[in-house]
Amino acid sequence: MDTTRLEAFSDGVFAIAITLLVLEIKVPPPNTALGAELLHLWPSYLAYVVSFLAIGTIWINHHGMFQHIVRVDGTLLLLNVLLLMLIAFLPFPTAVLAEAFHRGTDEPVAAAFYGGIHTVIGIFVTSMWRYAARGYRLLDTHLTAKKARQIERQFLIGPIAYAITAVVALVVPWLALLLFILLNVFYIWPRRSHESAASHIGDPTTSRDRSEGD
């Protein structure tokens, strides 16, 4: 089957998850100094931005992945559903992270928990690509083997980097937050790679490149 329904359903889950993030930013209670209370919410603003960028980045790379995956089967559908389950869960570790920095306690545990969820997300993203790319079972045949391996390496960086960041969070949670942001920035770039590869579809040299890459 083609990927149309999978992509449409996935886009819906991404949209809902990214919208739910703002619900974790609570309106200050009445009869308080509004200005001071709004400033006091800075951990919520920071957590919101980090997670918004994270979900947006995952969506960009999910879109890029399905520029090359042109068919789906039951296994890929299951892997995608499990990935979406984690995406929909992200507002919770985001709220935990913000609350820990609000209280000024348990920041290492909260940041490590947040990083751990992203590690598992990265594992599922990488697993989806590896499953689809193995033997070109679900890929567009115009994608070269060299490019398929390059994309896999880019995806594999994610779970490894997030796992390391989760460990760092247990010692220096502030550094972990910075690393979360840097990882989001890094993962914006693969989209250009995907588009570049897609632009070669129909180029007669791609078949030769694929043979040379095998």
Side-chain angles (χ1 to χ4, degrees):
M1 68 182 76
D2 65 28
T3 65
T4 304
R5 293 190 65 187
L6 179 149
E7 292 182 80
F9 178 69
S10 299
D11 286 348
V13 174
F14 277 108
I16 293 170
I18 210 167
T19 302
L20 289 176
L21 291 173
V22 75
L23 299 181
E24 298 302 329
I25 303 178
K26 306 302 182 184
V27 176
N31 302 319
T32 59
L34 182 59
E37 288 296 323
L38 289 173
L39 290 175
H40 184 66
L41 289 173
W42 67 263
S44 293
Y45 305 147
L46 179 60
Y48 169 79
V49 170
V50 172
S51 288
F52 193 101
L53 290 176
I55 294 177
T57 301
I58 297 166
W59 176 80
I60 288 172
N61 284 278
H62 189 273
H63 172 70
M65 182 189 299
F66 279 91
Q67 287 185 333
H68 302 309
I69 298 175
V70 295
R71 296 174 299 279
V72 299
D73 61 11
T75 300
L76 189 68
L77 286 172
L78 176 60
L79 289 172
N80 192 69
V81 166
L82 294 175
L83 171 64
L84 295 178
M85 176 182 70
L86 293 166
I87 296 299
F89 183 69
L90 264 178
F92 175 67
T94 301
V96 170
L97 185 67
E99 182 62 25
F101 278 89
H102 272 303
R103 297 194 314 263
T105 59
D106 298 321
E107 296 102 322
V109 175
F113 176 56
Y114 185 85
I117 297 300
H118 277 285
T119 301
V120 180
I121 288 174
I123 290 171
F124 275 105
V125 171
T126 305
S127 298
M128 285 176 63
W129 179 257
R130 294 193 66 178
Y131 176 78
R134 181 170 297 174
Y136 274 75
R137 59 160 62 100
L138 301 175
L139 295 187
D140 189 311
T141 56
H142 291 92
L143 183 68
T144 66
K146 179 180 179 182
K147 180 60 69 174
R149 289 193 295 268
Q150 178 185 344
I151 293 172
E152 180 176 334
R153 287 193 294 269
Q154 290 171 334
F155 284 140
L156 188 59
I157 291 172
I160 295 173
Y162 273 112
I164 293 172
T165 304
V167 174
V168 170
L170 293 172
V171 182
V172 190
W174 272 107
L175 177 58
L177 284 178
L178 176 60
L179 292 175
F180 292 145
I181 295 172
L182 292 177
L183 282 169
N184 288 335
V185 172
F186 168 80
Y187 262 103
I188 289 173
W189 305 126
R191 181 172 181 267
R192 293 186 177 181
S193 173
H194 297 325
E195 290 175 347
S196 175
S199 69
H200 292 299
I201 293 177
D203 185 338
T205 62
T206 54
S207 297
R208 181 174 69 253
D209 290 342
R210 179 181 170 185
S211 298
E212 291 172 352
D214 291 335

